[in-house]
Amino acid sequence: MSDKIETVKCLIIGSGPAGYTAAIYAARANMFPVLYQGMQPGGQLTTTNEVENFPGYPDGVTGPEMMVQLQEQAKRFGSDIRDGWATKVDFSGDIHKVWINDSIEIHAETVIISTGATAKYLGLSSEQKYLELGGGVSACAICDGFFYRNQEVVVVGAGDSACEEAHYLSNICKKVTMLVRSDKFRASQIMEDRVRKTANIEILMHTETEEVLGDGQVVTGVKVKNRTTGEVTEITATGFFVAIGHKPNTDIFADYLDLDETGYIKNIPGTSKTNIAGVFVGGDAADHVYRQAITAAGTGCMAALDAERYLAAKD
């Protein structure tokens, strides 16, 4: 641990739309925010090739380009943007203590958490290949479904999220094939009934993905295996949507903040406030429903405004 302690008025942990928006608002309010970008500077959006549903970009924008622009905007107003990630926190006292890279100790009057969540994938090398290429693998139908209009796609998963993704895609795509590993859904009955009643959704039970097929640039199909019969078949598809859940990046806060059963930070409804005074949350670290760039940016704004009001009340 470092012998030197840095004291700041506003510390933002994590970047992405929530973190950078919080930094913009905090800097304009003379809170002199210090932002550590985290393990993945810019967040999940840096893995998205095309963003067409964020207001203000009539011709679309790439995820990395948008994050660079948000970062530069935050810097313009004086935000201190730094490399590094939080490895330990202590929110037990009036001063919020955060350690960066296990070496830098920061004492912050306010903390804004925007550490996001990480989509779960199957871990297949072929899946990761086309995910990195931006060639047809996605974990967000609302984000990317438009690009597969009138095409055939595959959805992996058996929970409510998978059913929601499949149903959303069924309104856009020619055909949706759902792959369910076991003999039953994990989704609520109403969601299962919805996909079963949708004409262009085909459901394959006892089925797991063996390989994502492609031409080296884009997805062309999926090789699947029936876990009961052992039969291996290929499904023609241009999109492969993985809907097996997200893991919020909140482990280091578990001893101090109230989390739900899956690890998302609980905020006081209608605010960004957590159960610890002076600690606020924005973006996907608390949002397991919408998980969109625009909603993350909105809650980042809320967090900065709530932090500003918290400091004003203390003065």
Side-chain angles (χ1 to χ4, degrees):
M1 296 295 179
S2 172
D3 293 330
K4 184 180 179 181
I5 297 174
E6 182 179 2
T7 301
V8 303
K9 183 174 286 190
C10 177
L11 176 65
I12 301 172
I13 305 174
S15 47
Y20 289 140
T21 301
I24 291 167
Y25 275 80
R28 286 170 55 85
N30 291 327
M31 294 166 64
F32 310 103
V34 172
L35 181 151
Y36 280 94
Q37 296 183 96
M39 296 286 285
Q40 186 176 8
Q44 287 190 81
L45 217 61
T46 58
T47 66
T48 302
N49 277 1
E50 295 291 336
V51 179
E52 294 193 331
N53 56 3
F54 197 97
Y57 292 94
D59 298 320
V61 64
T62 69
E65 183 182 3
M66 178 191 285
M67 291 305 98
V68 168
Q69 291 175 355
L70 282 178
Q71 179 180 320
E72 290 304 312
Q73 188 174 0
K75 285 183 175 180
R76 174 189 166 202
F77 297 113
S79 300
D80 187 349
I81 310 293
R82 303 177 183 177
D83 293 329
W85 55 89
T87 50
K88 177 185 174 183
V89 302
D90 182 351
F91 295 156
S92 60
D94 292 335
I95 297 297
H96 310 103
K97 301 176 182 179
V98 179
W99 284 263
I100 304 296
N101 298 349
D102 289 321
S103 59
I104 302 170
E105 183 176 349
I106 295 180
H107 290 185
E109 293 184 59
T110 60
V111 175
I112 295 175
I113 298 168
S114 56
T115 49
T118 302
K120 296 178 182 178
Y121 289 94
L122 301 178
L124 300 171
S125 58
S126 56
E127 168 199 58
Q128 295 302 304
K129 173 183 177 179
Y130 288 103
L131 175 64
E132 292 170 6
L133 287 171
V137 174
S138 173
C140 181
I142 294 175
C143 309
D144 301 324
F146 176 84
F147 302 110
Y148 303 92
R149 186 175 294 275
N150 298 322
Q151 300 176 43
E152 297 186 9
V153 300
V154 168
V155 174
V156 178
D160 279 347
S161 293
C163 291
E164 288 172 9
E165 299 265 287
H167 190 260
Y168 177 85
L169 289 167
S170 71
N171 293 314
I172 299 172
C173 301
K174 180 180 178 182
K175 180 182 178 182
V176 179
T177 302
M178 287 191 73
L179 307 182
V180 179
R181 292 185 78 250
S182 67
D183 62 346
K184 60 183 178 181
F185 279 83
R186 291 184 291 103
S188 57
Q189 191 62 52
I190 190 171
M191 291 304 299
E192 179 181 347
D193 291 343
R194 183 176 298 172
V195 294
R196 288 192 180 278
K197 292 176 182 178
T198 303
N200 64 335
I201 297 178
E202 180 181 3
I203 301 167
L204 302 181
M205 308 300 289
H206 303 284
T207 304
E208 61 185 5
T209 305
E210 291 271 288
E211 183 182 359
V212 178
L213 306 174
D215 61 7
Q217 295 296 322
V218 296
V219 171
T220 59
V222 183
K223 183 185 291 186
V224 301
K225 180 180 180 179
N226 185 296
R227 302 179 71 225
T228 301
T229 66
E231 181 184 6
V232 175
T233 56
E234 293 184 6
I235 301 170
T236 299
T238 53
F240 183 75
F241 290 85
V242 184
I244 57 175
H246 287 72
K247 184 184 186 308
N249 304 319
T250 59
D251 289 352
I252 64 170
F253 309 114
D255 290 340
Y256 302 97
L257 300 184
D258 290 341
L259 309 178
D260 70 10
E261 63 277 4
T262 52
Y264 288 93
I265 296 172
K266 293 182 179 180
N267 57 292
I268 297 173
T271 78
S272 67
K273 299 175 184 177
T274 69
N275 60 294
I276 300 291
V279 177
F280 309 91
V281 61
D284 289 8
D287 176 15
H288 58 86
V289 177
Y290 300 104
R291 293 196 296 264
Q292 299 297 301
I294 189 65
T295 51
T299 54
C301 164
M302 291 169 60
L305 294 176
D306 284 342
E308 180 186 3
R309 291 165 184 163
Y310 170 81
L311 290 172
K314 288 182 64 178
D315 292 341

